[in-house]
Amino acid sequence: MGPKGGAEGCWCMLWRHSAKAHRQMQGDANRQAMEALVAERPTGLLAYRDGVPSGWISIAPRGEFPRMDGSRILKPVDEAEVWSVTCFFIAKAARRAGLPEALLTVACDWAASEGARIVEGYPIDPLSARYTNAFAWTGYKTVFDRCGFEEVARRSEKRPLMRRSL
């Protein structure tokens, strides 16, 4: 995720604690919190190209992302137990090579091996063809479409909720 830990020192901790805690922990505190989580259990998957870390996908049971429950847009669709894909990080040198699709496919396979029955994602569906990748850290709808996800809700013009049954 580079020296800054992705977007503004997030280290993929945005949905794991409150907005206030997230602002206070940006940077090194988030990195340490993620390191502690990784020491306990997997929190996502890494992709390598030619031996170089090139991509990341965050996937875990939705309960590990409590901040989403308070979101008007991302609140649960129903009572189903789902695993959530909350973040992608693709190194610039690895973009436009199908890495998000590969990560999402492998993440679904891994989640199924861990007992998941449904994987849910919260991608961006930009209204224009030009959208800054830095703001698409939840992934693009087209990636989820290509990986067999279906839209199950849309509470925002640009943010569908997508699911794939495993």
Side-chain angles (χ1 to χ4, degrees):
M1 290 188 209
K4 294 182 180 179
E8 299 180 0
C10 179
W11 289 98
C12 224
M13 294 297 294
L14 176 70
W15 303 111
R16 295 179 184 275
H17 44 65
S18 72
K20 181 180 179 181
H22 183 70
R23 282 189 303 274
Q24 292 172 342
M25 294 180 69
Q26 281 180 316
D28 198 49
N30 272 337
R31 181 187 57 76
Q32 291 173 10
M34 179 53 78
E35 284 179 353
L37 282 174
V38 169
E40 292 176 19
R41 65 189 172 282
T43 59
L45 303 172
L46 289 171
Y48 289 82
R49 289 184 64 202
D50 301 322
V52 177
S54 300
W56 158 259
I57 187 170
S58 173
I59 183 169
R62 183 180 168 110
E64 293 192 22
F65 308 106
R67 184 172 172 187
M68 288 194 319
D69 293 343
S71 168
R72 176 185 60 81
I73 296 169
L74 303 179
K75 66 184 178 185
V77 173
D78 53 30
E79 298 297 318
E81 290 186 25
V82 301
W83 280 48
S84 294
V85 172
T86 60
C87 184
F88 288 84
F89 185 85
I90 309 298
K92 280 186 181 183
R95 292 182 187 157
R96 305 209 187 284
L99 197 51
E101 289 89 344
L103 274 167
L104 186 54
T105 298
V106 171
C108 287
D109 292 345
W110 175 74
S113 76
E114 295 292 313
R117 297 290 169 248
I118 301 170
V119 173
E120 193 171 78
Y122 319 96
I124 190 74
D125 188 8
L127 300 178
S128 70
R130 293 193 49 85
Y131 194 82
T132 304
N133 286 331
F135 298 115
W137 45 269
T138 56
Y140 286 103
K141 181 182 184 295
T142 54
V143 169
F144 284 81
D145 288 337
R146 288 191 291 266
C147 290
F149 282 69
E150 295 181 11
E151 186 172 329
V152 295
R154 187 181 288 243
R155 300 178 184 121
S156 165
E157 187 176 29
K158 296 180 185 177
R159 180 79 61 185
L161 277 73
M162 309 282 292
R163 280 190 177 171
R164 178 175 158 189
S165 296
L166 306 176

